[in-house]
Amino acid sequence: MPPENTDYGLGEVQAQVKRVPNLFLLDTSGSMKMETEDPDGNRRQKIDLLNEGLEWFSEDIGDDFETREGVDVSVITFGGGVSVEQEFRPVKEWVEGEGPPLLSAGGQTPMCEAITRGLTNLNEYKSEVDNNNLGRHRAMVWLLTDGRPDQTSGNDWDAAQQSVEAFTQNDSIFFWGVGIGDDADTDTLRNLVAGCPGPATDVFNLGRGRFNEFFKRASASATGASKGRGEESASEFSEEFSEEYL
């Protein structure tokens, strides 16, 4: 886990640029070592495609100066344990530096803990943005998982579910639950967001190795928000995926 920071790089951003926070909650459990087809029909490990997708996100954002100045990104993984791979930082640090963190797979699937940790971190980041008198758009939270979480009931589940509901009901986030492949438990993801307002959440299955397409689409959504084109609803974003795979 990298060292924690408390300023989120906000002291170096342009004051007139509204922040566009993107929080990635990514499954890195042992099942992500399993192979699936990439867009070219080649068999590759899902964790490798996930890493490649983050690179696509960074490269697409980097192609637009205004967007890379406004988007902040955090990466939290859950595989064996929960790891804050990156606190919220300006995505231009990926573009101008060494790129996204390189993820590896192993262990079980503590998804609920990752959700709670991620949204707690998001709240702290939002407070720091406000303290710096910076504007911000609604956060985009992307949960990607290829299996069934360790907990689907009990205290951890209740805490995660209540956190997602609270953040969506006060218009703080858009939340996507994205199942990776045929073994993903999208029913559990739907239960997770059952109490959330419809326009703020959506669940869909990302099949056939469409990682790159997903991350390019996510970067386009962040770009649109940063340019003031409006914030598309969760269902508008995922329509092209959900129509084919659900």
Side-chain angles (χ1 to χ4, degrees):
M1 181 185 303
E4 293 187 0
N5 62 77
T6 56
D7 67 354
Y8 305 103
L10 297 174
E12 304 171 5
V13 303
Q14 300 180 33
Q16 70 274 22
V17 178
K18 292 180 70 172
R19 312 318 298 162
V20 185
N22 280 254
L23 171 60
F24 290 100
L25 304 172
L26 304 178
D27 187 347
T28 57
S29 62
S31 59
M32 289 294 287
K33 294 180 181 179
M34 297 176 64
E35 292 184 345
T36 187
E37 285 190 1
D38 69 10
D40 297 323
N42 301 313
R43 301 291 297 179
R44 297 174 60 192
Q45 288 189 357
K46 287 180 279 187
I47 191 66
D48 292 336
L49 294 173
L50 185 61
N51 280 315
E52 188 175 271
L54 289 173
E55 291 282 357
W56 274 104
F57 181 86
S58 176
E59 290 175 8
D60 271 18
I61 292 287
D63 287 339
D64 186 278
F65 176 81
E66 184 178 353
T67 303
R68 71 172 180 257
E69 289 294 320
V71 172
D72 295 327
V73 61
S74 175
V75 177
I76 293 181
T77 61
F78 50 101
V82 173
S83 176
V84 182
E85 300 291 339
Q86 179 175 297
E87 295 275 11
F88 281 100
R89 301 291 298 181
V91 75
K92 69 178 181 179
E93 294 183 2
W94 285 6
V95 177
E96 299 171 359
E98 298 180 355
L102 183 64
L103 309 179
S104 59
Q108 295 184 316
T109 315
M111 184 185 79
C112 296
E113 183 183 347
I115 293 170
T116 304
R117 178 68 180 274
L119 294 180
T120 297
N121 289 5
L122 174 62
N123 225 21
E124 295 170 355
Y125 157 84
K126 286 168 51 185
S127 296
E128 192 67 18
V129 170
D130 295 343
N131 290 340
N132 280 269
N133 297 314
L134 300 170
R136 53 180 168 82
H137 293 276
R138 192 188 303 201
M140 302 174 183
V141 181
W142 315 94
L143 170 69
L144 279 74
T145 179
D146 76 333
R148 183 179 179 85
D150 293 346
Q151 306 92 12
T152 56
S153 63
N155 292 338
D156 288 343
W157 170 263
D158 291 343
Q161 190 176 51
Q162 290 165 11
S163 293
V164 175
E165 289 177 3
F167 274 77
T168 54
Q169 287 170 357
N170 67 15
D171 295 333
S172 292
I173 65 172
F174 291 112
F175 184 94
W176 290 269
V178 184
I180 302 171
D182 295 336
D183 294 331
D185 186 0
T186 50
D187 286 341
T188 292
L189 295 178
R190 291 190 191 93
N191 289 338
L192 177 69
V193 301
C196 301
T201 64
D202 205 4
V203 171
F204 62 95
N205 189 287
L206 188 68
R208 302 177 192 170
R210 297 179 74 189
F211 287 85
N212 289 358
E213 184 178 346
F214 167 80
F215 280 100
K216 287 171 73 71
R217 184 72 177 83
S219 71
S221 186
T223 297
S226 71
K227 291 181 175 296
R229 297 173 184 162
E231 298 171 332
E232 61 182 344
S233 71
S235 58
E236 287 173 332
F237 171 91
S238 54
E239 183 177 6
E240 64 188 82
F241 298 103
S242 58
E243 280 185 352
E244 183 171 352
Y245 292 111
L246 290 182

